[in-house]
Amino acid sequence: MAAREAPFLLLLFLLAALLAVEADARRQKDGEGACGEGWDCSGRGGRLCCNGTISDYFKAEHFEELFPKRNDSLAHAAGFWDYRAFITAAALFEPRGFGTTGGREMGVKEVAAFLGHIGAKTSCGHLDSDGDSLAWGLCYNHEMSPGQSYCDNSNELYRCVEGVEYYGRGALPVYWNYNYGIVGKGIKQDLLSHPELLEQNATLAFEAAIWRWMTPMKRRQPSAHDVFVGNWKPTKKDTLSKRYPGFGATMNILYGDFICGHGSTDSMNVIISHYQHYLDLMEVGHEHSGDNLDCGDQVVFNPSSKSPYS
Ligand SMILES: *[C@@H]1O[C@H](CO)[C@@H](O)[C@H](O)[C@H]1NC(C)=O
Ligand SMILES: *[C@@H]1O[C@H](CO)[C@@H](O)[C@H](O)[C@H]1NC(C)=O
Ligand SMILES: *[C@@H]1O[C@H](CO)[C@@H](O)[C@H](O)[C@H]1NC(C)=O
């Protein structure tokens, strides 16, 4: 009897060994093996930061569900945006905590929040005829009828390049020469000379937008990422200005007084609606949107005219 069981046990053992090797390989491929080296998630969520990557919980099918009208015959950027471009760009920022901070649910929520901004800013919801205006995200990849040249040569660092136009382009549209300069420096592309890259290359368009989400506008200010995942602790001045961690503060950082501090406006609420709609589609549910969802009564971090995104 013992003799008959031996080969069976050996087989089991081999199988177990094989599975272990495979799991190890998978872990390394997913970047888990890099924890503590390249993965600098030293914020509060650090402990959980290596718990999976965005493509573990956000699949191509989700992308299709969130942006079902993007190839519609009425869409202005049909065929431009795709899942692969988003995942490729996102992977560059996962080591810094994008979608990987605070455990899986927070990861899903951060992706929904980020895409909520993107969806709202690139939507042609106004074209909708069947009550589904939130389905129209990623319809544009650039501003259609620029009302001005967006060239400000008082900025010495990033002067306009002759013959180049700086109208809104990308996933979280960039306007003005100096903003193309700053974002270009951030993603190591010469956007000042070639702003058109943001309407020609979806990976770069997502990369520019995620860079913006992850990066504070000014020293000693938080990034949209930090206020959303809870890395940021408001100061006394912040609480007096009604700035608390949550989705509302991400709008404050990204749009300033274009959107915030004017009470409950349509332009603010449509961004919130996209975020909540995506939370539903990603099976977290809009009831988990978090506290401090709006910024209607927040004082803005950076007042005015120089806000890059409107
Ligand atoms: C990863 O996330 C799951 C689900 O949120 C949790 O149960 C698990 O403990 C986490 N693992 C690590 C290593 O943080
Ligand atoms: C939209 O177009 C992209 C790029 O051509 C393609 O990958 C994707 O499958 C299309 N999606 C839909 C819903 O038509
Ligand atoms: C988009 O830009 C990335 C990064 O520079 C590059 O690897 C990729 O080949 C570009 N894609 C296209 C279609 O040009």
Side-chain angles (χ1 to χ4, degrees), residues 4-21:
R4 287 228 331 255
E5 260 174 23
F8 178 66
L9 282 176
L10 188 69
L11 207 71
L12 263 187
F13 175 76
L14 280 175
L15 195 71
L18 203 73
L19 284 178
V21 167

Side-chain angles (χ1 to χ4, degrees), residues 88 92 187-189 197 200-205 207:
T88 304
L92 298 172
I187 66 165
K188 302 192 176 64
Q189 297 287 333
L197 284 171
Q200 292 175 349
N201 185 318
T203 306
L204 291 178
E207 203 181 319

Side-chain angles (χ1 to χ4, degrees), residues 36 38-50 94-98 100-103 106 214 223 225-227 229-233:
W39 289 67
D40 178 20
C41 309
S42 42
R44 242 166 40 105
R47 199 170 54 80
L48 295 174
C49 84
C50 290
E94 285 172 0
R96 285 169 57 186
F98 179 62
T100 56
T101 303
M106 181 54 91
M214 298 299 295
S223 62
H225 166 75
D226 284 336
V227 301
V229 302
N231 283 344
W232 170 67
K233 293 282 159 286

Side-chain angles (χ1 to χ4, degrees), residues 64 67-68 70-71 79-82:
E64 298 300 334
F67 307 110
R70 72 187 192 287
N71 293 342
F80 178 73
W81 302 105
D82 69 73

Side-chain angles (χ1 to χ4, degrees), residues 248-292:
T250 69
M251 293 190 282
N252 189 323
I253 288 167
L254 297 176
Y255 318 116
D257 45 22
F258 282 102
I259 298 286
C260 299
H262 309 298
S264 177
T265 61
D266 287 350
S267 50
M268 178 184 79
N269 290 328
V270 76
I271 303 171
I272 296 173
S273 302
H274 278 82
Y275 165 48
Q276 296 193 305
H277 178 57
Y278 296 169
L279 278 179
D280 284 339
L281 293 176
M282 290 166 77
E283 289 149 36
V284 166
H286 66 269
E287 65 276 20
H288 298 292
S289 307
D291 295 336
N292 311 310

Side-chain angles (χ1 to χ4, degrees), residues 12 19 56 65 103 153 165 167 171 210 266 278 286:
L12 263 187
L19 284 178
D56 288 344
E65 268 174 40
N153 261 329
E165 302 201 41
Y167 57 80
I210 303 172
D266 287 350
Y278 296 169
H286 66 269

Side-chain angles (χ1 to χ4, degrees), residues 54-127:
I54 292 173
S55 54
D56 288 344
Y57 56 76
F58 186 68
K59 308 281 187 200
E61 306 89 82
H62 291 118
F63 192 82
E64 298 300 334
E65 268 174 40
L66 263 53
F67 307 110
K69 300 281 195 186
R70 72 187 192 287
N71 293 342
D72 190 278
S73 59
L74 294 175
H76 296 281
F80 178 73
W81 302 105
D82 69 73
Y83 174 73
R84 189 52 32 211
F86 173 64
I87 291 299
T88 304
L92 298 172
F93 296 91
E94 285 172 0
R96 285 169 57 186
F98 179 62
T100 56
T101 303
R104 189 182 174 99
E105 179 168 313
M106 181 54 91
V108 176
K109 285 173 64 171
E110 184 179 9
V111 170
F114 170 77
L115 292 176
H117 286 285
I118 299 302
K121 289 291 135 183
T122 57
S123 171
C124 328
H126 59 280
L127 296 176

